[in-house]
Amino acid sequence: MGSWGFTAIGVFLANLAEASSLKELLVPIMLFPMSVPLLIAIIRLTEMALYPTVELGMSLWIVLLIAYNVLFTVVPLLLFDVLLEV
């Protein structure tokens, strides 16, 4: 799920930056801050998988991961025509 979310964010931002002449610079700059919550959720879930005695509220991180995946998969699909015109 983490790979799917990171890929969805990257593809969405790459399409947004496609019209710019500085797309090679814009994509990493936009990708890092948008993927930080996703990476934190992945790290926390990995920590809970490796050390099952730690009780940190696993459902919160799974919900965050699913929400990011749904958000960055569904929103670009809904905005597909707008993204192509930009």
Side-chain angles (χ1 to χ4, degrees):
M1 286 179 61
S3 298
W4 172 27
F6 192 71
T7 302
I9 294 171
V11 169
F12 175 62
L13 294 177
N15 282 333
L16 281 178
E18 185 66 31
S20 174
S21 61
L22 297 173
K23 61 185 166 195
E24 292 86 13
L25 183 65
L26 283 176
V27 173
I29 290 173
M30 291 188 302
L31 184 64
F32 180 70
M34 298 208 45
S35 64
V36 167
L38 180 72
L39 294 173
I40 291 172
I42 294 167
I43 291 168
R44 292 294 182 182
L45 288 170
T46 304
E47 177 187 8
M48 287 179 230
L50 293 175
Y51 306 109
T53 58
V54 178
E55 301 284 335
L56 295 175
M58 185 173 171
S59 63
L60 171 72
W61 298 112
I62 290 177
V63 169
L64 179 69
L65 192 60
I66 291 171
Y68 248 68
N69 287 343
V70 169
L71 177 72
F72 285 105
T73 301
V74 173
V75 170
L77 287 174
L78 295 174
L79 297 174
F80 182 73
D81 293 332
V82 176
L83 289 175
L84 288 180
E85 291 177 8
V86 172

